[in-house]
Structure formats: C-alpha cells, structure tokens
Amino acid sequence: MKKIPPGSEASNILVGGVGFLEKPILAFIRLSRAAMLEELTEVPVKTRFIFILLGPVAAATSYHENGRAMASLFSDEVFGEVVYQARNKNHLLVGIDEFLDAVTGLPPSEWDPAIRIDPPATVPSQDYRKRAPEKYIREVDGEDDEQRIREYSGLVRTGVLFGGLVNDFKRKTPFYLSDFKDAFALQTIATWIFLYFACLSPIITFGGLLSEATGKNMATLESLVSGFICGVLYGFFSGQPLSILGSTGPVLIFESIIYDFCYTMDWDYMSFRFWIGTWISIILVILVSIDASAFVCYITRFTEENFAVLVTLIYIYKAFENVLAIANKFPITMDKNGTNMEECSFTGNDNTPPILLNMSSSNTTNQTMYQLLNEISSESCLVPQYSPGIFLMSVLIFLGTFVISIQLKNFKNVRFFPSKVRQLISDFSVTIAICSMTVLDYYVGIPTPKLEIPHEFKPTLPNRGWIISPFSRNPIYSVVLAILPALLGTILIFMDQQITAVIVNRKEFNFRKGCGYHLDLFVLAILIAICSIMGLPWFVAATVLSLTHVHSLKLETECTAPGDVPQFLGVREQRVTHILIFLSIGLSIFLSRLLEHLPMPVLYGVFLYMGISSLKGLQFVDRILIIFMPRKYQPDHMFLREVPTKKINLFTLIQTTCLISLWLIKSIRQTSIFFPLMLVVMIGIRKSLDLIFTKKELRILDDLWPQNNKIHRIEEAGCGISKCILGPKLITKKEYLNVNEV
C-alpha cells in the first residue's frame, strides 16, 4: 500500500471458460464512480474498470493470454488516460492501436519466457505519445524547449537594469520557508557532519598556504572566520544554497602576486587589497545590473565537464600527494638506533654523560631527561625521529576511510536489512568511516599527523585589527591603480563562481525550486566587500564540494515493489546544511582541543572519496571508458545509438586534449593566473566544433548552442548605448508558452 500512490483505482480482469456458452462473450465496464468490491482485489483499492471474457470450455486455454494482453494495456500510461475519457467502443480501439504501434515484441525463438526481465533503472517519459503529431514534429529539434529552460533559469537578458536579479528574487521567495522545512531529515544531519570535515581541512590548508603567500597578513584563523561569515550569509540569502563556498588556486596565486607587488613598492598590502576588493564588488554589481550572468548559457557540457573533471582530478592528485608527503617527513627506516641530531643545539656542560647523547628522541621520557640534563634550546629535538610506522599507519587509515565510505555508500543496494536501515547507513557512510578510522588511530597509538587548528580568536599578525585602514601609508593614486588588478580578479571570481553554478544546476538533478545566477553573484559581491573591509580571504563556489553536497542530498523512492529498483526523485533542496556547515567551521576555534585528535590521513581519504564520487554521471568519463571497450560490452547509452563511434571518439579526443591543456596551464605557477581566461577559450573551441560535427551530433554529445534567431522579442529596449548594454527585452515565460502553444 505504501508503493501505491494515493487515489489509485483498480482494474479487474476476469477471464474463464464455462459449459453453457457456445461462443465468447466480452464486456468492458467503466463505473461512473469507483467502488470497493470486497474480496475481489488483493489490496483494498476501489475498482473503476472491469473486463469480463467468458467462453466455451474448449477454447479456455486462449483466454488466459487474452487476459494478460488486457492487463498489459492497462499498465500503459497513455492507454490508462484513453479509457478514462473514452465515450464509445471506437475510442477504445484507437487506444489499442496506439499501444500496438509503440509496443515492442519478442519472438519466442529469441527469448526464454522463463527468464525474468529486470525493470529499467528509469522509465522514459511518455509525453511525446500524448502530443498532437504537428506539435511533435515541430518540437523534435528541441530548440524551443532549450530556450524555454533558459528563460526559466534566468539565462536571458531582460532589458531592464537588475531585471535578472529581480526575477531571481521573485523565483526564490516562494520557496524560502520550505528551504528550512524540507531539511527535517536524518539525511540533512549526515550531510552536515560529512561536509563539515570535508570543508574544514581545505580551509585550514588554504590558510597555511595563504600565510606563506601574504607574509602572515592572512592565515588559518582568517580563513576560518571568512568561511564562517561568507558561508552563513550565503546560505541564508543565495539563490542556490547547494553551492558550497571554498578557496581556489587561482585566487591564491592572485593574492601572492598582489603581495609581491606591494612588497616591491613598499605599500601596505591590506590597504591596497581593500581597494581591489571594493572595485571587484562594484564591477560585480555592475555585471549583475546588466544581466551578465545570462552569458552562462554559452557554457555547455563540453566546457563544464572539462572544468569538473579537472578540479576532480586535482582533488584525487592532492589526496595522494599529501599522503606521500608524510613519507618524506616520517621516512621508513629499519635502523632502530638511527636518530637525527643535526638540528639540535646543546647548551649543557662538558660533563654530560655520553650515554645520554645516544638516547632515542622517539621516546618521550628520554626526551624529557635529555632536555633537562643537556638544556636543549632547539625545539626540533622534541620531534620523533625514529617513526617507521607513521607512514604505514597513515596509508592504512587513508585507504580505510576511502574504502569504508565507498562500500557503505552503496549499502542501500544490498539485499540485507530493511530499506530504512540501509538508507541510514548509506547516508552516514562517510561519518562512520571518519569515526572508525579515528578510533583505530587512537587505539593503535602511533603518532600520525593530526589536524592543526588555531586555539585563540585573534588576528595572526598582532599589529593588525579586524577593520582595515583604507589608506595607511599608500599614496592616493593607489585607489585608481587598484582598478587594473580588480578587473583580473573579477574575471577569476566570475568564471569560478558561474561555471560551478552551471555544473550544480544541471538538468539531470531535477531541481524544483529553480536557480539564481544573478542573485548568487550579487550576494558574492557583498561578501567580497565585507571580507575586504575585515582583511579576510575571498571565497567562491567550489566545484567538487558543491557536487558532493548535491550527491549526498539525492532522494530516491523509499518503498519499492519486489524486483523494482529505487527511482531517482530529485535533490533535497534546502539551506540548512550550508548554514550548519559553516556555522560549525566558525565554532571550530573553540573546539580545537577536540579536533586536534583528528588524523589528517582520514581527511585525505575523504578527499579521495569526494573526487571519485564526483566523476560519476559525467558523460565525458563514460566516453573515455568506452574507447577501451569492445563493442559488445559497451553500455546502452543514447549517444552510442545516435552518433557514429568514430565521431564519438573524435569528440572525446578533442575534449581530452583541452583537459590536458588546462591541467598544464594550472600546474605552472606563472600561467595559472590565466586559467579562468582559458575557460573562455574553451567556449570558442566548442563553437568551432560546428564545422566538424553535425547539429544532431552536437545535440546528443553536448548541449544546444543558443540560437539568436530563435529568441522571441516583443520590443526593443530603447536605443543607442542602452540597447547595446542591456540587450533586447524578452517576453515572459507565460507569454512565451502562450505564443508557442499548438
């Protein structure tokens, strides 16, 4: 009964042979009002239709197949609508003919009826069978549908200042209260705990790198405070709260370049950065006012998957790189007496017993005695030198965290335990992995690297406060000069933010509450201004963290019939997880005594899990794997049906070449600052593919390219410069649908 939707009605099919009939009698009955027929149906559902077929006993063997055929008719969605509206026998016959035109037959010689056919993972939509033939032929190209989607998503120019922002606000306001109500579920708690640790480690790591790049003007504490302020405000006011804010590599390079310039000019770095951030905020607001986010529609699957795969591979690469760095710090050695005493400085007297000089510094008691008797002034002697098990233990808990997370995430598909128990274990898979490996590390007692977090809430540099002076010792013209680096910074932030937003708002995620590209950019502009005033790092949407956030909030059918597979319902769209994640990050300063027991290899394992899981569902990855598959083992993807294999491999080769180029540009420090500009080049390369592939092939392998001649205008937005800046005014979604209605 949980599987049956509310308001369902039954169809009873009764067939059989009797001795008093000489020819068959058939009756098809539709009740004007559904009634409960006791003891007739297996479940207590009201009956609407009754089909009766009686005939001579001699022909009774064929009645069973007739009944199965009628049951197949009623299982069809389109025929079910026909029988509700049929007025005479001819209408029923037309419904049967339509069913036979769409049905697929299997000859007995080609299939064993005793073998069960598994149901598909997703049932295709039958809407095209309900349309009038003229409308179906006209819309088969899909361009009108794509235009309709762009208009609904706000990816068209409105022709009015801040028109896109106003539309985003109107679109998201009705769902604001439900964004908090929909969060009441255990899945929300599991996502919050998992992504808290997933976001905390990158922020701390980024803070350490930022400290080196900016002369400790901004470090770990400033990164935590920035995450707290930006994350909480973004969670409350953004248009797409499923996007997770984080730090990016190009922004770090940008900060280091600005600091080096200020150091050379003997300027105050934080004051100059204040004006750069202020100009970036102003430029972003200008871009919001003219609906510049509408150009995001030119970022198709070709570009977004290149960016997503690149960032995902960086996560996977960094996970292994950080683990291997532990081997450099704590190398494996078989010499039990081997200690490195070169970095120790001795201030004791000449009467120190020689035996103390040979004590292993890996023993805490020996370290204490050695320090007291020899009056050691160097702190490096307190670092354990003989530690062959640290790296091996780190590898164990690193791989253990990854394997447990992967296996428990797929636990919902096993055949044991009730569905609620399996779903609960699947939701808390990463949390269980983190806790179990942390307990194992604590029980074994090997001193693996732990999470380092500040203990006091105060700026890293003692001579600066939380409010930055706009001028300090810088000249007045530095305010105007800051516009030039602000333009580059705007490109970095705009591209990072909007490409991640495009990836998060994919059509396959089936978002019900819409998106808000203009609203997100406006909120980000305000956050950058706040961070510039307080001297905090700038945060933008992070691709892998955002994708992981979306995947962890996926919804599937809970109660399934025997043999039925869970159906994807959508994503739990809410704001609570984003707010709780960054609220917890802000409180981490006060939980430092507890968090410092968390092993870093556990977090590296979480990074690897996020990277691997983010690759799922990417068509680019599927096409790369297909290259190495024999044809008979290739999965039944739609693009394999519609596009020749050679064209698919050529498209994949071009995309792979672009991916390698992006990797090389991002890996070289001198060129990494231009990485977002290369994403613009990717859009141009995608446009040039029109010369190699047909329109149909690109429609299957990539999203549609916006066609200007398909945009329906009702009036021009003024003249002169306003027309060039704001673009043509477009009709509303309601008007658009009325114009194209058939």
Side-chain angles (χ1 to χ4, degrees), residues 128 181 183 362 380 404 416 533 689:
Y128 70 94
K181 291 181 178 180
S362 63
S380 61
I404 293 175
F416 307 100
I533 294 173
L689 295 182

Side-chain angles (χ1 to χ4, degrees), residues 527-542:
L527 295 178
I528 290 177
I530 295 175
C531 291
S532 301
I533 294 173
M534 299 183 63
L536 303 176
W538 300 322
F539 277 25
V540 295

Side-chain angles (χ1 to χ4, degrees), residues 582-614:
F582 287 96
L583 182 63
S584 304
I585 287 176
L587 297 176
S588 298
I589 302 173
F590 306 102
L591 300 175
S592 58
R593 300 298 180 185
L594 178 63
L595 294 174
E596 64 185 8
H597 296 288
L598 185 65
M600 288 301 297
V602 171
L603 300 179
Y604 301 152
V606 174
F607 288 174
L608 181 61
Y609 165 77
M610 291 192 300
I612 297 296
S613 61
S614 297

Side-chain angles (χ1 to χ4, degrees), residues 241-368:
L242 294 181
S243 297
I244 296 292
L245 297 185
S247 53
T248 61
V251 174
L252 176 63
I253 300 298
F254 179 77
E255 296 276 14
S256 63
I257 293 175
I258 299 301
Y259 176 78
D260 293 340
F261 173 79
C262 293
Y263 182 81
T264 304
M265 300 294 294
D266 194 25
W267 288 0
D268 184 75
Y269 164 68
M270 299 304 294
S271 297
F272 189 59
R273 183 182 181 273
F274 165 83
W275 287 109
I276 294 177
T278 302
W279 283 116
I280 290 177
S281 300
I282 294 174
I283 297 173
L284 289 178
V285 171
I286 294 175
L287 293 177
V288 172
S289 67
I290 62 174
D291 299 339
S293 296
F295 294 108
V296 170
C297 64
Y298 290 92
I299 303 176
T300 61
R301 181 185 290 131
F302 179 87
T303 304
E304 71 178 60
E305 286 195 343
N306 261 333
F307 183 78
V309 172
L310 175 67
V311 178
T312 301
L313 291 179
I314 290 175
Y315 256 73
I316 297 174
Y317 171 78
K318 288 295 182 181
F320 285 101
E321 183 184 48
N322 291 332
V323 173
L324 294 178
I326 299 176
N328 297 329
K329 187 174 181 180
F330 302 99
I332 299 176
T333 176
M334 300 303 296
D335 184 10
K336 296 183 179 180
N337 296 322
T339 57
N340 182 11
M341 309 300 294
E342 296 179 357
E343 297 181 358
C344 296
S345 60
F346 304 94
T347 59
N349 52 45
D350 296 335
N351 298 325
T352 302
I355 189 172
L356 293 178
L357 300 177
N358 297 325
M359 285 186 175
S360 174
S361 61
S362 63
N363 185 283
T364 305
T365 304
N366 290 344
Q367 286 181 359
T368 304

Side-chain angles (χ1 to χ4, degrees), residues 516-706:
Y517 294 96
H518 311 281
L519 180 57
D520 288 343
L521 197 62
F522 181 75
V523 173
L524 190 67
I526 297 176
L527 295 178
I528 290 177
I530 295 175
C531 291
S532 301
I533 294 173
M534 299 183 63
L536 303 176
W538 300 322
F539 277 25
V540 295
T543 304
V544 174
L545 291 173
S546 301
L547 276 177
T548 305
H549 191 202
V550 173
H551 287 306
S552 62
L553 291 171
K554 281 186 175 181
L555 296 174
E556 293 179 338
T557 52
E558 296 181 359
C559 300
T560 56
D564 196 4
V565 295
Q567 300 293 324
F568 173 68
L569 300 178
V571 179
R572 190 181 299 278
E573 300 176 62
Q574 42 74 47
R575 299 178 180 271
V576 175
T577 52
H578 196 290
I579 296 172
L580 289 178
I581 289 168
F582 287 96
L583 182 63
S584 304
I585 287 176
L587 297 176
S588 298
I589 302 173
F590 306 102
L591 300 175
S592 58
R593 300 298 180 185
L594 178 63
L595 294 174
E596 64 185 8
H597 296 288
L598 185 65
M600 288 301 297
V602 171
L603 300 179
Y604 301 152
V606 174
F607 288 174
L608 181 61
Y609 165 77
M610 291 192 300
I612 297 296
S613 61
S614 297
L615 292 176
K616 293 182 180 179
L618 295 179
Q619 188 195 95
F620 182 26
V621 178
D622 295 336
R623 285 189 272 105
I624 291 177
L625 297 178
I626 286 173
I627 295 177
F628 305 97
M629 290 184 186
R631 186 179 297 272
K632 61 180 179 179
Y633 296 122
Q634 293 178 356
D636 187 21
H637 291 304
M638 180 58 66
F639 56 83
L640 288 175
R641 293 185 179 186
E642 302 292 338
V643 184
T645 305
K646 291 183 179 180
K647 284 294 190 70
I648 295 175
N649 294 338
L650 176 61
F651 188 86
T652 306
L653 180 62
I654 296 174
Q655 200 169 2
T656 305
T657 304
C658 295
L659 176 63
I660 295 174
S661 302
L662 289 176
W663 179 279
L664 295 176
I665 292 173
K666 190 175 181 65
S667 301
I668 302 174
R669 188 178 185 277
Q670 290 76 6
T671 60
S672 60
I673 193 67
F674 302 105
F675 171 73
L677 297 178
M678 292 304 300
L679 297 176
V680 180
V681 177
M682 293 296 108
I683 298 176
I685 294 176
R686 160 61 183 87
K687 181 60 178 176
S688 65
L689 295 182
D690 293 341
L691 304 176
I692 305 176
F693 299 90
T694 64
K695 191 174 183 179
K696 177 183 177 182
E697 292 169 347
L698 289 176
R699 185 179 299 116
I700 299 298
L701 296 174
D702 196 18
D703 294 333
L704 281 175
W705 187 268

Side-chain angles (χ1 to χ4, degrees), residues 473-518:
R473 64 175 185 272
N474 297 346
I476 299 297
Y477 66 85
S478 64
V479 177
V480 180
L481 186 63
I483 298 178
L484 296 178
L487 291 173
L488 179 58
T490 302
I491 297 174
L492 294 175
I493 294 172
F494 182 86
M495 294 302 296
D496 274 344
Q497 172 70 28
Q498 299 297 56
I499 289 182
T500 301
V502 170
I503 296 173
V504 170
N505 291 299
R506 287 175 182 166
K507 293 179 291 186
E508 50 264 34
F509 290 141
N510 296 333
F511 288 148
R512 297 175 292 105
K513 301 180 181 180
C515 47
Y517 294 96
H518 311 281

